[in-house]
Structures are given as C-alpha cells and as structure tokens.
Amino acid sequence: MMTKIDVISGFLGAGKTTLIRKLIAEVYKGEQLVLIENEFGEISVDGGFLQDAGVQISEMSSGCICCSLVGDFGKALKEVQEQFHPDRILIEPSGVGKLSDVIAAAEKAAEECGGMELNSAVTVVDGSKVKVYMKNFGEFYNNQVEHAGTIVLSRTQKLSQEKLEAAVALLREKNHDAAIVITPWDELGGEQLRHAVEKEDMAKALMEEHHHHHHDEHCGCHEHEHHHHDEHCDCHEHEHHHDHEHHHDHEHHHDHDGHCCCGHDHHDHNHAADEVFTSWGTETAKKFSREELEKILAALDSGAYGAILRAKGILPTAEGEWLHFDYVPEEHEVRSGSAEYTGRLCVIGSALKEAELKTLFGV
C-alpha cells in the first residue's frame, strides 16, 4: 500500500498546529500516521496530544528541511517508512522554509524510496495578514502561497466580507488553481476539509453523476424524447464520433432504439464530433441570498448561457447559512445544508458561455 505524504506549511503563527490537530482528529482518523516536524525556533506540537492519537513523532531540530536537511530528508522518510509503514506521513516544515524546496525534497525521497507519493501541499495563511506579509516577506511568503495545492485561511471570522474578498483576490493573483478555505474551521467537518485538501474536482464528480443518472434503461432523457434510431447516447464528457464504419468499444457506449440523452435539440441527424460537454466552475467568497440564487438558477433555463444540463454548488449567505443547490433543465432546488470550505459551484453543458455565466453569478 502506498504511503501518502502531506505537507502542511505556513508562516509562524498562522495556525498550522491547530490545523494539524483538526486534520488528525477529524480527517485522518483511524489512519496510521507519522508526523515529521522540522523545528526552527517554533514551539513543538504537543507531544502528549499526538501520542494519544497514535502518532509517532520524529523531531528534526537541527534547522530547516529545505536547507540543512535536504540531504537527510530522504533518509528520514525512508526510516519512517521502514519502521512504521504508515498510511500517511505529515510533514510540518519550518515556518520560514520555501514550500517549493520541501515539495522537491519530498518528491525526490518518494521516488528513491518507493512505496510513497506526495499527496498534498497545504499552506496555512493568516487571513488578516496577507497584504502586509506579501509586502514584508516577499519571496518566502509568496513561495508558500504559489506552490500550495490548498490554502487554508485562519482567523477569517475576524475579517469583514470586504477584507476577506481582498485577501482571497491577493492569493488568487499568486495562485490560480489552489482550493482556498475561507470558512472558519470550527464550522467545518472533516469531510469538507478533506474535499479541500484532496482537491476534490467538483466538475468531474458532476460529470460522473450526470453520466450515471442518464445511463439507465432509457438513457434518462425524460424532458426531451428525441428518436434517433441509429444514434449513440452522448451524455458525457467523452467525444463520440458517429462515423459508423469505426468500431466503438467504449464500455458505456449504447445503441438505443430511442432516446438521446443530451437534453437539447439536434437539428442534424449526426452529432458533430466536437459536440462535447464542457464544464465551468469556480470557488468564491461572495455571499448570496436565497432569492438571488433562485433568480440565477431560473435564468439558466433561458438558453442565454449555453445548453446547460446540470449545475450544482454550495454557497454562503450573509447570515451564516449555507445554500446547497441542484439544477437540471426546467427544475432546480435550493436547500439549507452544512458548511463548505468556500463557496463552490459548477455548471456542465455544451456551448457554455463562460463570461456570461461569470457575470450571472457575479464571480
């Protein structure tokens, strides 16, 4: 079994230790864990707490992982792997280290040792200090932001909506792709944190959900019953070339005597080869009201935003409520639900008009 390596970085005082405790207690519960700390004048994680949780501590007190310890890092990981065979190794680098160096060292060690893989790189950021730290600590601070797969903001409950959005905008300038956790941690369960750390792809999940839903006996198109007797079902992200001299061996390719399930009109008997479903999605710190969201979802039926098949998301309100929404053509649902690490939404369909969708949602 492959041991996962997760790096939890962050500047001094950002709250790494608190996050690590939450991850261990709620996200990685029941896993055999090893925490490798790299001390650089920091108070070490409370050893008693970690040992109670079944975590072994291998302290590295002789400096920073990314400089003096690069040479020994592979050796340390190998020893940990051989001694404990853990499910997961958590690395807490020094608060002043360069995350890119830690990632490079972890990847090199995993390659040399075998049986290990870098799973995630998380950076904890104090939401109230983003601007001043970027200005004062430049390269070191920005490196931790730029190389993170997930950025977890701490102390967001103390920020105004305006300051929170400004902090997220600064982080996005440095890192377009990271999941950014803006919800106060005490409102998040382990599952939501796992979504963020594992960078669960909402678009992929939605595509799969749509695909399974529409591959029942009648290919699922209840809204539009198009009879294309020689047609292939085309309701997923794969391109299908309706060129009948080619042999098709897709496992989910069906010749149905009946229903095409893409949910929009076909004027030509043959589908164009490039008619593929695409997705558009985003994370957002914006707050929505239920009325605003209902209007947005109703507007998706207009055709002005492309041929939309599915939309899904979890968005926050100004009152601290979270709205979960689901959309299929001519039908949508908005309900209250549990918090997510940030506002997230995803739309799938064909000929999506992304700029118009961004304007519609105001993101």
Side-chain angles (χ1 to χ4, degrees), residues 29-62:
K29 206 172 181 178
E31 293 187 15
Q32 173 66 31
L33 275 173
V34 173
L35 173 71
I36 296 180
E37 291 181 299
N38 167 219
E39 295 305 326
F40 197 87
E42 291 186 68
I43 299 159
S44 99
V45 173
D46 170 13
F49 164 80
L50 292 166
Q51 275 148 3
D52 291 345
V55 178
Q56 306 290 338
I57 296 183
S58 166
E59 289 213 31
M60 297 182 171
S61 301
S62 53

Side-chain angles (χ1 to χ4, degrees), residues 205-223:
L206 195 57
M207 286 278 199
E208 284 170 3
E209 191 181 305
H210 177 76
H211 167 62
H212 291 313
H213 178 70
H214 286 276
H215 276 74
D216 59 17
E217 191 183 347
H218 293 295
C219 206
C221 254
H222 307 300
E223 314 89 19

Side-chain angles (χ1 to χ4, degrees), residues 167-216:
V168 169
L170 285 170
L171 294 168
R172 273 279 169 250
E173 277 178 31
K174 302 287 179 198
N175 190 325
H176 299 293
D177 302 318
I180 300 182
V181 178
I182 60 169
T183 305
W185 304 354
D186 55 3
E187 293 175 27
L188 288 178
E191 197 53 37
Q192 287 77 27
L193 267 178
R194 188 185 286 276
H195 288 169
V197 173
E198 304 280 354
K199 284 204 74 186
E200 178 206 54
D201 188 333
M202 201 175 207
K204 189 179 171 198
L206 195 57
M207 286 278 199
E208 284 170 3
E209 191 181 305
H210 177 76
H211 167 62
H212 291 313
H213 178 70
H214 286 276
H215 276 74
D216 59 17

Side-chain angles (χ1 to χ4, degrees), residues 8-260:
I8 315 288
S9 71
F11 249 44
L12 299 164
K16 277 185 302 185
T17 301
T18 308
L19 180 67
I20 286 171
R21 287 183 173 202
K22 189 170 175 71
L23 289 171
I24 289 169
E26 297 179 36
V27 182
Y28 307 136
K29 206 172 181 178
E31 293 187 15
Q32 173 66 31
L33 275 173
V34 173
L35 173 71
I36 296 180
E37 291 181 299
N38 167 219
E39 295 305 326
F40 197 87
E42 291 186 68
I43 299 159
S44 99
V45 173
D46 170 13
F49 164 80
L50 292 166
Q51 275 148 3
D52 291 345
V55 178
Q56 306 290 338
I57 296 183
S58 166
E59 289 213 31
M60 297 182 171
S61 301
S62 53
C64 166
I65 265 182
C66 55
C67 40
S68 63
L69 279 181
V70 167
D72 301 330
F73 189 52
K75 190 178 162 202
L77 277 179
K78 195 174 180 187
E79 283 174 8
V80 161
Q81 170 79 333
E82 285 171 359
Q83 193 177 340
F84 302 114
H85 304 291
D87 299 311
R88 191 178 302 271
I89 298 172
L90 291 181
I91 298 169
E92 182 188 4
S94 153
V96 293
K98 276 195 173 181
L99 181 56
S100 57
D101 290 345
V102 181
I103 289 171
E107 284 179 333
K108 183 169 182 257
E111 202 179 306
E112 288 173 359
C113 302
M116 291 187 280
E117 62 180 358
L118 181 67
N119 181 57
S120 70
V122 176
T123 294
V124 186
V125 166
D126 183 330
S128 63
K129 295 190 167 73
V130 175
K131 194 174 181 181
V132 68
Y133 277 15
M134 277 188 179
K135 189 178 165 190
N136 294 337
F137 298 110
E139 189 191 347
F140 280 100
Y141 185 78
N142 290 341
N143 185 280
Q144 292 199 0
V145 170
E146 287 161 4
H147 293 275
T150 299
I151 298 168
V152 180
L153 266 69
S154 61
R155 306 186 177 94
T156 52
Q157 58 271 59
K158 296 177 181 174
L159 295 181
S160 66
Q161 180 66 16
E162 191 183 5
K163 284 191 171 165
L164 176 63
E165 289 184 20
V168 169
L170 285 170
L171 294 168
R172 273 279 169 250
E173 277 178 31
K174 302 287 179 198
N175 190 325
H176 299 293
D177 302 318
I180 300 182
V181 178
I182 60 169
T183 305
W185 304 354
D186 55 3
E187 293 175 27
L188 288 178
E191 197 53 37
Q192 287 77 27
L193 267 178
R194 188 185 286 276
H195 288 169
V197 173
E198 304 280 354
K199 284 204 74 186
E200 178 206 54
D201 188 333
M202 201 175 207
K204 189 179 171 198
L206 195 57
M207 286 278 199
E208 284 170 3
E209 191 181 305
H210 177 76
H211 167 62
H212 291 313
H213 178 70
H214 286 276
H215 276 74
D216 59 17
E217 191 183 347
H218 293 295
C219 206
C221 254
H222 307 300
E223 314 89 19
H224 308 279
E225 293 195 13
H226 300 301
H227 296 275
H228 292 289
H229 292 286
D230 281 319
E231 284 288 295
H232 294 281
C233 177
D234 192 30
C235 56
H236 40 74
E237 64 271 42
H238 298 287
E239 285 188 28
H240 286 302
H241 301 280
H242 297 281
D243 196 344
H244 291 286
E245 66 264 20
H246 288 301
H247 174 64
H248 296 283
D249 57 358
H250 283 288
E251 62 184 19
H252 44 253
H253 203 98
H254 306 292
D255 278 318
H256 282 303
D257 196 14
H259 311 292
C260 175

